[in-house]
Amino acid sequence: MAVVEQTASADHPPDGIGELDQVTVVESERVSPLVRLLLKPAATALMAAVVVFVFFSLAGSAFGTLAGIANWLAPSAEIGTVAACVALLMIGGEFDLSAGIAIGTTGVTMALLATHFHWPVPAAMLGALVVAVVIGLTNGTLVVTTGLPSFIVTLAMFFSLQGLNVGVSTWLSGNVVVFGVNNAAGFAIPHTLFGSTISIGSAQLQISVLWWIVVTLVASWILLRTRYGNWIQCIGGNVLAARATGIPIGRTKIALFIATSCAAWLVGMETALRLGSAQANEGLGLELQFVVAAVVGGCLLFGGHGSIIGTALGALVFGMIQLGITYARWPAQMYLLFLGIMLFLAVLTNTLVRRRLLRGT
Amino acid sequence: MQTPETTLAQELPDSSTTDQSGAVSVVGPPRVNPIVSFLVKPAATAILAVMVVFIYFSLTTTGFDSAAGIANWLDPAATLGTVCAMFALLMISGNIDLSSGVAIGTTGVVMGLLATQAHWPVPLAMLGALVVALAIGLTNGLAVVKTGLHSFIVTLAMFFALQGLNVGITILVNKPPDTGGPVPATALVVAGIRDAPGYALPQLILGSSIPIAGAQFQISIVWWILLTLLASWVLLRTKYGNWIQCIGGNTPAARATGIPVGRTKVALFVGTSLAAWLVGMETALRLGSAQPSEGFGLELQFIIASVVGGCLLFGGHGSVVGAALGAVTFGMVSLGITYAKWPGEIYYLFLGVMLFVAVLANTVVRRRLMRGV
């Protein structure tokens, strides 16, 4: 970051967008507050959340009630927990297409350890955590050492895990669903911590929503308030500058991949403990929704810029649409149509509007 | 950047006028060891993969190398390969199309609905689906060109939109009774194309099978080979091929030399959608019904087959024949696993390992070999 600032002040007519960004920050008194809000990476996601909430509240009667809100916060939490880490990874300039299926992998690992090998549930969860760390470590190390695009490396991991999940669970338990986690030893406490629901009035709020908020706050704090956040943005924005300033690029990237797998582990545990069983295909297809939530939340596809709060709002929008479609009595699959349109509009707004606004200031 | 340029020059001797420094390695005496010059070709990894996989399953299983076995694994290879021929061209131009898999389902469902619900004759219904395919390709292409957004995002949006529309429209048309439970499987298929008027001729052209040596070869294999030859000819022997490689390799240079970058990209997106249409028609006509989920998940396999076939992920370099060989490899593996009586999902494990090894071989090994040349 120091390098960027120096060049910006040295040759005074700045022409890059990143430098323009800094100018707008410095000369903030001349920029109208509305423009400044719109320039924030999370602005589009915030508007989307408001529009979608108002739309479905008017369309479906139960959508805006306390019970309705608790309902759509559950799928939001599933997407949002992992998306928070995927967003950090994307800001660092990398992808993880294996983050969705890793939910299934960790769930199946935990369930098999608990039911087939009769480990107590907390130990089985630790075993699954080790698997998650290994997945992240493998992804990260391969990306850093081979220099291949993370899209390819994690796509390979995605297919491998998809095959292994079903292969191993059918081999050991004879089924693609591993049942009986709820009868394993030591199920009660982990279930309360990760898989229970909290009664708020008449509504049943899943505890995963709290975990989602915690993960989002931690990730946002790291990005905005620690030097690691600066490292991540610098690596994603300009690898050469990051290397020149002595940032440990390899280690940071590997840590981000591990964090993403661990977030997938958290969701895997939540799901398996709530249902008392683990499905081999859990999380399949979510990998792209994480990317979409992050992009809608203002993350650039190729790194350098983004917002964790925006990503959380993106996940919120998807939870709302997913449940709102059901409340409006449309076929559930129409959710994906909304997702597609939403993605396109959000990215268009994010890039085009910001480009135009920056030119205007 | 050194690597693709030099390889290109070796592959395309007739393009030597454009690149003086690259021409030297072509004109100069054959100092390059023939093994190295083979391994440097983009399709080399795919050729090796095909050979290894074929020999392995031929030795370990019975029936894999019989005529019936070959006909069996050429069928999934044709499904993958038909779209891959166009997908490879698109990738060489530096774009991807994540909607090309579900577009197979979309065109199939549109054709099925037009034939069974609107009672159009099948050939007309196919034309209707063709218009939809054109619209999908045009939308993708124009959105990429006009907005400057990355094709990954634009076609991901199209992927989600089509996925939702395919299933949503099929359910809305089939109107299953609202039991509150999951939608019954019968509501998730457009049935009865077989009974629509004018089914026989299109079925013969696109959905029949040809008996050769006692085995039934699907006619889709013929279409796949034709399309691969056409796409390869376009890439290697026409100016459009040069345009495509130039756009993918260096867009500002392409624009500076006056190549119509926008039009070429839009044409490539349309070509990919049309290939998906062809596969959608083949599948719907063969089965006599159309499934909205048909083709879902194939989009990533198209990428893999193309990358295994030597296409760079970010464009500028690749081989259509290599992509076809990539498709053959995956066809062989998906059937070979059945012949070997392994659980079917191991296919995905293989797909992942294969992708990683092939890309590593393609990039790292070639980088090292080129340094030695």
Side-chain angles (χ1 to χ4, degrees), chain A residues 173-217:
Chain A
S173 75
N175 201 326
V176 290
V177 186
V178 184
F179 291 103
V181 180
N182 43 355
N183 299 323
F187 175 73
I189 296 175
H191 171 77
T192 316
L193 282 177
F194 293 101
S196 59
T197 53
I198 307 161
S199 298
I200 300 175
S202 59
Q204 295 287 321
L205 187 71
Q206 284 182 12
I207 201 161
S208 59
V209 176
L210 298 185
W211 284 108
W212 168 39
I213 295 171
V214 170
V215 171
T216 301
L217 291 178

Side-chain angles (χ1 to χ4, degrees), chain A residues 8-305:
Chain A
S9 56
D11 26 15
H12 27 94
D15 42 73
I17 287 183
E19 289 151 26
L20 269 178
D21 244 335
Q22 290 197 335
V23 172
T24 42
V25 174
V26 175
E27 302 175 356
S28 52
E29 60 277 353
R30 269 200 280 155
V31 183
S32 86
L34 180 67
V35 171
R36 278 175 60 196
L37 172 73
L38 286 176
L39 276 176
K40 284 212 184 295
T44 322
L46 184 64
M47 282 191 294
V50 172
V51 169
V52 171
F53 180 78
V54 171
F55 176 77
F56 280 116
S57 296
L58 297 177
S61 53
F63 187 82
T65 65
L66 206 57
I69 292 174
N71 264 346
W72 51 253
L73 278 177
S76 294
E78 192 185 7
I79 296 177
T81 307
V82 186
C85 291
V86 168
L88 281 186
L89 192 63
M90 277 181 74
I91 295 169
E94 302 291 347
F95 268 109
D96 187 355
L97 293 178
S98 68
I101 199 69
I103 296 175
T105 309
T106 50
V108 165
T109 307
M110 189 275 268
L112 285 176
L113 288 176
T115 61
H116 197 265
F117 296 99
H118 304 290
W119 292 22
V121 171
M125 289 170 65
L126 277 184
L129 185 63
V130 171
V131 171
V133 170
V134 169
I135 293 172
L137 196 63
T138 312
N139 279 337
T141 314
L142 288 180
V143 167
V144 169
T145 53
T146 65
L148 293 178
S150 54
F151 185 88
I152 293 286
V153 170
T154 59
L155 184 61
M157 181 60 88
F158 161 76
F159 280 119
S160 305
L161 292 181
Q162 200 184 340
L164 279 176
N165 284 4
V166 180
V168 172
S169 69
T170 18
W171 175 44
L172 287 180
S173 75
N175 201 326
V176 290
V177 186
V178 184
F179 291 103
V181 180
N182 43 355
N183 299 323
F187 175 73
I189 296 175
H191 171 77
T192 316
L193 282 177
F194 293 101
S196 59
T197 53
I198 307 161
S199 298
I200 300 175
S202 59
Q204 295 287 321
L205 187 71
Q206 284 182 12
I207 201 161
S208 59
V209 176
L210 298 185
W211 284 108
W212 168 39
I213 295 171
V214 170
V215 171
T216 301
L217 291 178
V218 170
S220 194
W221 175 74
I222 289 177
L223 183 68
L224 298 175
R225 291 275 172 275
T226 71
R227 62 175 179 166
Y228 305 110
N230 286 347
W231 289 2
I232 293 169
Q233 287 178 317
C234 189
I235 292 172
N238 190 336
V239 181
L240 296 179
R243 188 162 290 139
T245 46
I247 293 173
I249 298 174
R251 259 195 298 145
T252 311
K253 282 191 177 176
I254 292 174
L256 288 173
F257 277 107
I258 293 178
T260 309
S261 313
C262 288
W265 168 84
L266 178 59
V267 174
M269 296 306 103
E270 286 166 0
T271 314
L273 290 167
R274 182 171 67 235
L275 304 174
S277 62
Q279 282 207 9
N281 268 345
E282 190 74 46
L284 176 70
L286 288 187
E287 60 282 341
L288 292 177
Q289 300 193 19
F290 301 148
V291 174
V292 175
V295 168
V296 167
C299 295
L300 294 183
L301 191 59
F302 296 114
H305 185 63

Side-chain angles (χ1 to χ4, degrees), chain B residues 82-87 104 227 270-280:
Chain B
T82 307
V83 183
C84 267
M86 289 297 159
F87 202 98
I104 296 175
L227 200 63
V270 171
T272 309
S273 301
L274 292 185
W277 169 83
L278 181 58
V279 174

